[in-house]
Amino acid sequence: MKHRALRSPAAAVTALALAAAAALTATVGAGSASAATVPVGLGGYTDSRPAGTVGPTNSDGAPVTPKVTARMAGQAAPTNDWWSSLIYQRYAGNPYSENLYAHPFTFKAQAAGLEVGYPTTPTITGDGRQYDYTHTRDLTLGVAGLNSPDTKVDGWSDWTVTPYWSDGAHTFSATVGHGLPYVYAHATGGAAQVTAAGTPTVFANQGNVLGITVGGHNYGLFAPTGTSWTVNGTTISAALGAKDYYSVAVLPSQGDLATYRTYAYSFVTDTKVSWNYQAAAGALSTTYTATTVAQEGTQTGTLLALYPHQWTATSDALTGLTYTSPRGQMKVRQGNGFTTSQSVNGVLPSLPDLGGYDRTALDAQIHQVADASDPFNAASDTYWTGKALGRLAQLVPVADQLGDTAVRDKMLGQIKAKLQTWFKGTGSPVFAYDNTWKTLTGYPASYGTDAELNDHHFHYGYYIQAAATVARYDSAWAADSAWGGMVKLLAKDGANADRTDSRFPLLRNFDPYAGHGWASGHAGFAAGNNEESSSESLNFSSALVLYGSATGDTALRDLGIYLYTTEANAVQQYWFDADHRAFPANFQHGTVGMVWGSGAAYSTWWTASPGMIHGINFLPVTSGSLYLARRKDDLAANLAELKANNGGAFTDWRDLLWEAEALTDPAAAKADWDAGNAGYTPEEGESKAHTNHWINNLAALGAPDTTVTADSPTAAVFSKSGTRTHVAHNYTTAARTVRFSDGYTLTVPARSTASERGSFPDGGTGGVSPSPTPSPSASASTSPSPSPSPSTSTPPQSTGNTFYLQSGGALTTAYGTGAGVDTVPSAGGTNHDGAPYQAKVYEIRNVTGTLRAGGSTDFDLYLDAGASVGLGQQARISYDLSGDGTFDRVETYRYFATDPVTGWEKYTGAAAGLQSATGALGNLSNGTVRIEVWSAIGNAAAQLRVGATQAQASASVVRIPFN
């Protein structure tokens, strides 16, 4: 959330003054005369906020503390979450909560207990700019007689929360969460009580199990065995006796009551997310686990509703049960968790130096920024200082490429000096730690980072990005014992991944189940929490990737990969609606400026300008912005809508919009730049030099080709007129080989950026010791392309003509050790017939064999589309006969239309037949054989059986015509 009422630091003074006046009552006595600096390396932070400043307050300006029970006191409060209005009381007159959007449920706490709703029909504002599935009460859950003065938080996990009510005579608690179709309740002091918003229709009465319909929605009520529900008008109650539990489920249909009864007493008590970056495969695996405890019986597991970004990325079996949500259809998984697999597209520290710009003019544009009397434009707060740091940081590598080492080092000096001023731990500016709220806030603050705990990831991402640039050229400065410790502390505040570090909550600004960030610290809105600038959230995560890579901190790097990859996919769905499954059919826009718990809005906090509504989810443009090109068709439609709503032209923030355009149509962007670069004012965090460099480089490279992955997180591929350019950066002090999923290998010298067009070494004194290179394993791929620099590693020689597909991307001459499944990602509703798209790739190298006259390739692939309709998978087999990196023969087979019946189906090359073939077969001498499998059509993922033993049968296999 960012109340950016005005567009420059100077103009923002008035807005900041008004905010300060509104919070005046909280500034009295603020700060501490005994404040101490806590040292961190060469810098530090203060343990009390500066005098005259504010911390978390309510809307009246009065200080607030976390609203928790005694057992949770002192724990790091999860602000910036979907449920944070429970723990952060924003309004003095409401000690309960604002609307809570868990999906599929909605909730609101009140004196008598927990309101429950399941909105299924969106409302759209009269101007067509916002849609909402607003919380509407169907039921209130509680205990008879409850009249609690407040609601406190009695526990939380990665995506659940347990609010608690007590009035002295009664207690009530309810565990709720994202994706949970149940409310798990505990009550004492009276009967379990459910109050309906209208007279319920009872469709099933089994004593302790009751099926009711309220407001058109079906619910199951589950009391302990041996008890019975009684319906009296709108009040439904059950005497619990010696028991203290009951649960309520929202049912997809009345006929699902028995299914939901199965898990009604298996209460979810904990949830955890974990992730694993698989560098060799260019993939991210994320596992979501729910822990359950049976209140009666022995049932384990539960039902979990998955968001679209989850169910499109999992190969785990799903039921046919679905729910409506503001993010699109949710699909239900039966069990105690699930795992998703996503392709990892890299983050470059900067684009290579391949543009056709006037180098002298470009250097002059850099000097306009670096030589300004104040390159920070009078910025004093964390946001505008961060923007200025970001602008300088993007120009440092450009100056290095141009050979202007003097201006490079001048800008590095400016960045270091500014960061050190903030990191020194004394005076002003300074970072202060709030031990009550367990947060680190920079002062001077802005946009509610102090009083509302808003936007920490937005602001601090710029600082970490700038520090990553410094680390690239000066590793000593970035040592933890120097200034790097403070950089990592800022990263911890926004995204602490260490569950043992009690200084900060887990992943403050990131919602692991929703897949994206939240900006508001308190979530005190009727529409729930919100995030406007998804791109600034991704700027934070890409900064972690780069800073972790530059300093050799692989845990921080991998955290960044997890956040970046997950949110990039969520943004494609929920901000850009790339697959047209999130926005309601009658919503008038194809993109939104901000996402809310209840829906989304074509707006910003401060303007209705289309350029800024679209641009707020592009800025800042860096080489961490390449994710915007994952769906170039959708990005083109986004920009077309902008022009249509803006008189046919880019006006505000033209540089950002040209840069975004360059990710989908580089030639058009260059034409726009050439025509308009003399007559515009750069966006506050951008510069003409960086825009010039960006647009001209993409004009030379082509748009990003995100179908190709690499075994390095600092690599990317670009394509122009069918020719790919593979780019990778190596932060280490030794050369390394980067392997791409299309078969290309690239040797990158130490501390250099390289491509097939050459390499360029970094200046300065950066560099970290190399870590082991991942073992080869392919992932998503498109057509194989030649490799002039093959890998120097030599696998053992392989002979044989029958190869079995194994998990992890290998082909082996032996059966597997146990059947598993790989997920073949969805085609996303786009036709990819003949063109690999996010393909699963399996490969064996160093194969020797003699071509068998008259023979042909064949394969058996065992596939399962579950209940999904209209899917088709396709295979391509490629031969590199001599192992030189060039595929001499490429065979593409017609796709196989899977049926919507769960169970393995066999796709064979002989039955499908060749669709196309290029090149000719010959004898194999230390060659490579590869098979790629992808979804040619359809809107859902499929499963591919791999690793089966001989006894298990149904083994996916490739047979080649060689002796």
Side-chain angles (χ1 to χ4, degrees), residues 357-434:
Y357 25 69
D358 181 320
R359 301 177 75 82
T360 301
L362 179 58
D363 193 44
Q365 289 172 334
I366 295 173
H367 277 272
Q368 287 175 2
V369 177
D371 297 343
S373 58
D374 178 8
F376 293 91
N377 295 331
S380 61
D381 63 78
T382 48
Y383 185 70
W384 292 104
T385 298
K387 295 272 285 185
L389 284 167
R391 181 174 59 249
L392 287 166
Q394 293 304 309
L395 294 181
V396 168
V398 181
D400 196 38
Q401 291 171 358
L402 295 177
D404 192 339
T405 57
V407 76
R408 176 200 70 196
D409 293 343
K410 180 177 183 177
M411 290 186 293
L412 283 169
Q414 291 168 335
I415 295 169
K416 291 178 188 177
K418 183 61 71 173
L419 289 173
Q420 290 168 204
T421 298
W422 278 87
F423 290 168
K424 66 184 183 301
T426 60
S428 181
V430 72
F431 281 94
Y433 181 72
D434 184 329

Side-chain angles (χ1 to χ4, degrees), residues 161-372:
V161 63
T162 302
Y164 175 86
W165 292 254
S166 176
D167 62 7
H170 313 83
T171 69
F172 178 68
S173 66
T175 297
V176 296
H178 278 320
L180 298 186
Y182 294 93
V183 178
Y184 305 105
H186 288 276
T188 66
Q193 182 170 288
V194 177
T195 306
T199 302
T201 300
V202 177
F203 63 81
N205 190 340
Q206 301 162 14
N208 68 316
V209 175
L210 192 70
I212 63 172
T213 302
V214 179
H217 305 129
N218 301 305
Y219 294 94
L221 281 56
F222 306 95
T225 299
T227 65
S228 182
W229 291 102
T230 299
V231 181
N232 184 7
T234 60
T235 302
I236 308 164
S237 58
L240 297 176
K243 306 296 176 62
D244 71 343
Y245 58 86
Y246 69 97
S247 67
V248 174
V250 59
L251 308 176
S253 72
Q254 294 179 2
D256 298 316
L257 182 64
T259 299
Y260 280 72
R261 180 176 186 168
T262 302
Y263 296 101
Y265 304 102
S266 180
F267 279 26
V268 172
T269 58
D270 191 23
T271 57
K272 278 190 170 62
V273 65
S274 60
W275 56 89
N276 179 29
Y277 169 50
Q278 301 160 321
L284 174 75
S285 174
T286 307
T287 299
Y288 303 81
T289 304
T291 300
T292 59
V293 173
Q295 303 301 294
E296 59 180 64
T298 59
Q299 183 66 52
T300 60
T302 189
L303 298 171
L304 295 168
L306 280 62
Y307 286 114
H309 78 277
Q310 296 169 322
W311 58 256
T312 56
T314 187
S315 61
D316 293 338
L318 302 176
T319 70
L321 304 169
T322 63
Y323 289 102
T324 298
S325 87
R327 309 292 174 252
Q329 187 181 71
M330 302 181 80
K331 297 187 178 184
V332 175
R333 161 80 172 158
Q334 188 172 343
N336 65 352
F338 59 94
T339 297
T340 62
S341 179
Q342 303 171 83
S343 297
V344 173
N345 293 119
V347 176
L348 293 174
S350 56
L351 293 180
D353 181 22
L354 296 172
Y357 25 69
D358 181 320
R359 301 177 75 82
T360 301
L362 179 58
D363 193 44
Q365 289 172 334
I366 295 173
H367 277 272
Q368 287 175 2
V369 177
D371 297 343

Side-chain angles (χ1 to χ4, degrees), residues 857 859 875-879 889-891 893 929-931 958:
T857 308
F859 57 82
R876 169 177 288 175
I877 297 177
S878 304
Y879 297 88
R889 169 76 170 179
V890 178
E891 301 175 354
Y893 291 79
V929 178
R930 166 182 293 177
I931 181 170
V958 177

Side-chain angles (χ1 to χ4, degrees), residues 659-752:
E659 288 170 308
E661 185 180 38
L663 292 169
T664 182
D665 190 343
K670 186 175 186 303
D672 285 344
W673 163 259
D674 290 343
N677 70 76
Y680 79 98
T681 300
E683 185 271 335
E684 292 84 355
E686 192 49 278
S687 66
K688 287 194 173 183
H690 180 252
T691 303
N692 185 358
H693 184 267
W694 177 269
I695 289 174
N696 277 283
N697 269 298
L698 288 174
L701 290 162
D705 183 348
T706 58
T707 65
V708 183
T709 60
D711 63 2
S712 164
T714 54
V717 179
F718 303 84
S719 180
K720 181 178 181 179
S721 301
T723 299
R724 287 182 178 148
T725 301
H726 303 76
V727 181
H729 185 80
N730 178 10
Y731 281 101
T732 74
T733 54
R736 69 154 294 183
T737 297
V738 175
R739 298 177 176 86
F740 293 84
S741 64
D742 63 355
Y744 192 86
T745 58
L746 178 67
T747 299
V748 188
R751 299 193 59 240
S752 297

Side-chain angles (χ1 to χ4, degrees), residues 562-713:
Y562 160 65
L563 299 174
Y564 181 84
T565 302
T566 306
E567 186 154 22
N569 287 329
V571 167
Q572 291 264 269
Q573 297 299 321
Y574 311 138
W575 273 257
F576 300 155
D577 197 23
D579 291 324
H580 309 295
R581 46 167 82 102
F583 298 171
N586 52 347
F587 183 59
Q588 298 177 12
H589 297 280
T591 188
V592 293
M594 58 200 309
V595 161
W596 288 89
S598 64
Y602 187 77
S603 64
T604 72
W605 280 106
W606 81 100
T607 181
S609 161
M612 294 182 182
I613 291 170
H614 291 249
I616 195 61
N617 285 295
F618 299 153
L619 67 79
V621 175
T622 73
S623 295
S625 303
L626 302 181
Y627 72 93
L628 292 168
R630 288 186 177 189
R631 288 290 298 272
K632 286 184 276 292
D633 58 336
D634 182 69
L635 180 56
N638 184 313
L639 295 169
E641 179 185 3
L642 190 167
K643 284 186 174 181
N645 294 340
N646 201 50
F650 297 151
T651 52
D652 296 303
W653 290 353
R654 280 181 283 172
D655 45 359
L656 298 179
L657 303 179
W658 293 334
E659 288 170 308
E661 185 180 38
L663 292 169
T664 182
D665 190 343
K670 186 175 186 303
D672 285 344
W673 163 259
D674 290 343
N677 70 76
Y680 79 98
T681 300
E683 185 271 335
E684 292 84 355
E686 192 49 278
S687 66
K688 287 194 173 183
H690 180 252
T691 303
N692 185 358
H693 184 267
W694 177 269
I695 289 174
N696 277 283
N697 269 298
L698 288 174
L701 290 162
D705 183 348
T706 58
T707 65
V708 183
T709 60
D711 63 2
S712 164

